[in-house]
Short mmCIF file of all heavy atoms in Angstrom, two decimals:
data_model
loop_
_atom_site.label_atom_id
_atom_site.label_comp_id
_atom_site.label_asym_id
_atom_site.label_seq_id
_atom_site.Cartn_x
_atom_site.Cartn_y
_atom_site.Cartn_z
N ARG H 183 65.38 179.06 159.68
CA ARG H 183 65.13 180.37 159.09
C ARG H 183 66.18 180.79 158.06
O ARG H 183 65.81 181.37 157.02
CB ARG H 183 64.99 181.42 160.20
CG ARG H 183 64.44 182.75 159.70
CD ARG H 183 64.06 183.67 160.85
NE ARG H 183 62.81 183.28 161.49
CZ ARG H 183 62.71 182.92 162.76
NH1 ARG H 183 63.79 182.87 163.52
NH2 ARG H 183 61.54 182.60 163.26
N PRO H 184 67.49 180.53 158.27
CA PRO H 184 68.47 180.94 157.25
C PRO H 184 68.19 180.32 155.88
O PRO H 184 68.42 180.96 154.85
CB PRO H 184 69.79 180.44 157.82
CG PRO H 184 69.59 180.43 159.30
CD PRO H 184 68.16 180.01 159.48
N TRP H 185 67.70 179.08 155.85
CA TRP H 185 67.39 178.44 154.57
C TRP H 185 66.13 179.06 153.95
O TRP H 185 66.09 179.30 152.74
CB TRP H 185 67.18 176.94 154.77
CG TRP H 185 68.42 176.20 155.16
CD1 TRP H 185 68.84 175.89 156.43
CD2 TRP H 185 69.43 175.72 154.28
NE1 TRP H 185 70.04 175.24 156.38
CE2 TRP H 185 70.43 175.11 155.08
CE3 TRP H 185 69.60 175.73 152.90
CZ2 TRP H 185 71.56 174.51 154.54
CZ3 TRP H 185 70.71 175.13 152.36
CH2 TRP H 185 71.69 174.54 153.16
N ALA H 186 65.13 179.29 154.77
CA ALA H 186 63.88 179.83 154.24
C ALA H 186 64.06 181.25 153.71
O ALA H 186 63.42 181.64 152.72
CB ALA H 186 62.80 179.80 155.33
N GLU H 187 64.93 182.02 154.36
CA GLU H 187 65.13 183.40 153.93
C GLU H 187 65.80 183.49 152.56
O GLU H 187 65.76 184.54 151.91
CB GLU H 187 65.96 184.15 154.98
CG GLU H 187 65.18 184.42 156.28
CD GLU H 187 66.04 185.06 157.35
OE1 GLU H 187 67.28 185.11 157.16
OE2 GLU H 187 65.49 185.50 158.38
N GLU H 188 66.42 182.41 152.12
CA GLU H 188 67.04 182.40 150.79
C GLU H 188 66.01 182.17 149.68
O GLU H 188 66.33 182.33 148.51
CB GLU H 188 68.10 181.30 150.70
CG GLU H 188 69.30 181.52 151.60
CD GLU H 188 70.29 180.38 151.51
OE1 GLU H 188 69.94 179.32 150.96
OE2 GLU H 188 71.43 180.55 151.98
N CYS H 189 64.80 181.80 150.05
CA CYS H 189 63.77 181.45 149.07
C CYS H 189 62.79 182.60 148.90
O CYS H 189 62.05 182.94 149.83
CB CYS H 189 63.03 180.19 149.53
SG CYS H 189 64.10 178.76 149.84
N ASP H 190 62.76 183.17 147.71
CA ASP H 190 61.81 184.24 147.44
C ASP H 190 60.37 183.72 147.49
O ASP H 190 59.46 184.42 147.91
CB ASP H 190 62.09 184.86 146.07
CG ASP H 190 63.44 185.53 146.02
OD1 ASP H 190 63.88 186.04 147.06
OD2 ASP H 190 64.07 185.53 144.94
N GLN H 191 60.18 182.51 147.01
CA GLN H 191 58.86 181.90 146.99
C GLN H 191 59.01 180.44 147.39
O GLN H 191 59.53 179.63 146.64
CB GLN H 191 58.22 182.02 145.61
CG GLN H 191 56.76 181.56 145.57
CD GLN H 191 56.12 181.83 144.23
OE1 GLN H 191 56.69 182.51 143.39
NE2 GLN H 191 54.94 181.29 144.01
N LEU H 192 58.57 180.10 148.60
CA LEU H 192 58.77 178.76 149.14
C LEU H 192 57.59 177.87 148.74
O LEU H 192 56.47 178.04 149.22
CB LEU H 192 58.90 178.82 150.66
CG LEU H 192 59.25 177.52 151.39
CD1 LEU H 192 60.59 176.98 150.93
CD2 LEU H 192 59.28 177.76 152.90
N GLN H 193 57.85 176.91 147.86
CA GLN H 193 56.81 175.97 147.43
C GLN H 193 56.39 175.06 148.58
O GLN H 193 55.20 174.78 148.75
CB GLN H 193 57.30 175.11 146.26
CG GLN H 193 56.30 174.07 145.81
CD GLN H 193 56.82 173.14 144.73
OE1 GLN H 193 56.30 172.06 144.50
NE2 GLN H 193 57.89 173.54 144.04
N GLY H 194 57.36 174.60 149.35
CA GLY H 194 57.02 173.72 150.44
C GLY H 194 58.25 173.17 151.15
O GLY H 194 59.39 173.39 150.74
N ILE H 195 57.98 172.45 152.23
CA ILE H 195 59.02 171.81 153.04
C ILE H 195 58.66 170.33 153.14
O ILE H 195 57.52 169.99 153.48
CB ILE H 195 59.10 172.43 154.44
CG1 ILE H 195 59.47 173.92 154.34
CG2 ILE H 195 60.12 171.69 155.31
CD1 ILE H 195 59.35 174.66 155.67
N GLN H 196 59.62 169.48 152.84
CA GLN H 196 59.42 168.04 152.99
C GLN H 196 60.32 167.53 154.11
O GLN H 196 61.47 167.94 154.22
CB GLN H 196 59.72 167.31 151.69
CG GLN H 196 58.80 167.69 150.54
CD GLN H 196 58.96 166.76 149.35
OE1 GLN H 196 58.55 165.61 149.37
NE2 GLN H 196 59.56 167.28 148.30
N ILE H 197 59.78 166.61 154.89
CA ILE H 197 60.53 166.04 156.01
C ILE H 197 60.58 164.53 155.85
O ILE H 197 59.53 163.88 155.69
CB ILE H 197 59.88 166.40 157.36
CG1 ILE H 197 59.89 167.91 157.56
CG2 ILE H 197 60.61 165.71 158.51
CD1 ILE H 197 59.14 168.35 158.81
N PHE H 198 61.79 163.97 155.85
CA PHE H 198 61.98 162.53 155.95
C PHE H 198 62.35 162.24 157.41
O PHE H 198 63.30 162.81 157.93
CB PHE H 198 63.13 162.05 155.06
CG PHE H 198 62.89 162.20 153.57
CD1 PHE H 198 63.94 162.03 152.68
CD2 PHE H 198 61.64 162.48 153.06
CE1 PHE H 198 63.75 162.15 151.32
CE2 PHE H 198 61.43 162.61 151.70
CZ PHE H 198 62.50 162.44 150.82
N ALA H 199 61.62 161.35 158.06
CA ALA H 199 61.93 161.04 159.46
C ALA H 199 61.34 159.69 159.84
O ALA H 199 60.32 159.26 159.27
CB ALA H 199 61.38 162.12 160.39
N GLY H 200 61.97 159.03 160.80
CA GLY H 200 61.39 157.83 161.37
C GLY H 200 60.13 158.20 162.13
O GLY H 200 60.09 159.19 162.86
N ALA H 201 59.07 157.40 161.95
CA ALA H 201 57.81 157.62 162.67
C ALA H 201 57.63 156.65 163.82
O ALA H 201 56.78 156.89 164.69
CB ALA H 201 56.64 157.51 161.71
N ASP H 202 58.40 155.56 163.84
CA ASP H 202 58.19 154.53 164.85
C ASP H 202 59.32 154.45 165.88
O ASP H 202 59.45 153.46 166.59
CB ASP H 202 58.02 153.16 164.17
CG ASP H 202 59.22 152.76 163.32
OD1 ASP H 202 60.19 153.54 163.25
OD2 ASP H 202 59.19 151.67 162.73
N ASP H 203 60.14 155.50 165.95
CA ASP H 203 61.19 155.56 166.97
C ASP H 203 61.20 156.97 167.57
O ASP H 203 60.26 157.74 167.38
CB ASP H 203 62.55 155.15 166.39
CG ASP H 203 62.98 156.04 165.21
OD1 ASP H 203 62.35 157.09 164.98
OD2 ASP H 203 63.94 155.66 164.51
N ALA H 204 62.27 157.30 168.27
CA ALA H 204 62.33 158.60 168.94
C ALA H 204 62.34 159.77 167.96
O ALA H 204 61.95 160.88 168.33
CB ALA H 204 63.57 158.65 169.84
#
Side-chain angles (χ1 to χ4, degrees):
R183 192 169 284 118
W185 292 95
E187 289 175 349
E188 294 178 347
C189 304
D190 296 329
Q191 188 174 350
L192 186 60
Q193 178 185 161
I195 299 171
Q196 297 191 72
I197 298 174
F198 294 168
D202 59 0
D203 58 12

